Amino acid sequence: MNNEHSEWEDKMKEKPFSNNHFTPQMIKHVEDRVRTQTPFFKRWMIYTAALPVLAGILFLGYHIWDRVPEQQPLTQAVNTEDVPASEEVEVVTFPSTNGEEVQLPLQITKAELSLDNSDLAGNNDTESFKLAEMSYKIPPEMKDKLQAVLVYRTDMIGGYLLLAPIGWEASAIVGANGSYGVTLTDPSNKEQTLVYSDTAGSCQGCAISSIGTYFPDKAGWADEQGFTVYDPLSFTEWSQPGTAGEDARTAFYTTSVKEGYYHKGVAYYEKDAGGQWYLFRQLKFKLSEEQQVRDDRHDIVMDFFEAHHGPLIVSSVNAESINNAIPVKMDPGTILTYRLDPESKLTYDLKYDKSYVRSQQPQVNEEAVDIEGRAAEDAYIESLKESVKDLPVIDLGYDLPAPAPGIVVMYGSDGYINRVYNEDENAVNENP
């Protein structure tokens, strides 16, 4: 270690370290390094000077862009090659409260059948519908807030029309017992719905219990019929448009909030003179408690329903099929009469006789529903479905006459034919 230290001391005494001098070789080397680094140094100086300019341009551009936000959507325009051509929107024309016309978009929905009767005469396409001239007046400011909803089914000729908030999506169904309805859902909040339901005279217990629920003064009567209202509703609003006739069987209501939502709707019921037949229908909003501010859309939707004591019934134009063959099934209570028009061509008239339908309804009694027995029957039927699913199906058909002038066809409460006769002759067929 001492020898190495001594040698190092000797080296330090030599040039360039002695007297702080550099050798010529080292000076030349340093000069060469400076020359090679000069271009980099110049570039660095240029970049340094340019940075403030670039920052100023970016700052100016940002503030100019920020001042014209209305042009931003233009930069997000979707390539037209990727956008399908818009479909023509069906509309329904209503008279306006200001004397002009209001056109509402029309949503057409096919009801799903719990029992497949699609082979029967009915609506197989939406072009067969012909909407009558509307008489209900719509405020002009509702043009972009409401829509008309047409619901049809393939096992019957005809449909029904409701109003609903625009954009709400419809889904309709027909129950196995004949009751039917449609649900419209708010796409922005799937919990918010508009539901129309109709017992259609099929379930008397359902109708009576509903009457007792939505008409509190009828709760005692429902209890006497054997359908006690065990869970009465709490109404914050309840009113009737009148005290006689159909108005006395109509009620507007609003329920109290429960789990963040409340219901607002209109209910209506019918009965025959003997009190043996009842029908209940209602249109009901389910709304978030955050939307308890009065909404004109809701009022007009319910008022349209109240004006018709239900939905507006719509007939379909299916003259060719009816003229060629007597339909096996029609709307309950339909009376189909064939005749000749002024040009001696075969045509027909359709009427709806409610009293005829009601006369066929079973009498209401106080016997309690056998829930366990019903469940056992349903289980037995389900057990048979698997064993018979592959058996051949034989269509026995109906022995019906060909359409001719004077032929009258009467349809029962289930929509099927009860009687066929000629106005000028005796009955042709009854309960085929």
Side-chain angles (χ1 to χ4, degrees), residues 96-118:
S96 172
T97 53
N98 65 1
E100 299 179 355
E101 292 183 342
V102 174
Q103 287 190 331
L104 300 183
L106 175 64
Q107 181 179 175
I108 301 176
T109 301
K110 182 177 73 172
E112 297 296 328
L113 305 178
S114 296
L115 298 178
D116 185 10
N117 293 324
S118 57

Side-chain angles (χ1 to χ4, degrees), residues 38-51:
T38 301
F40 173 79
F41 177 79
K42 290 181 179 179
R43 286 197 299 272
W44 181 80
M45 291 294 292
I46 294 172
Y47 294 157
T48 303
L51 280 176

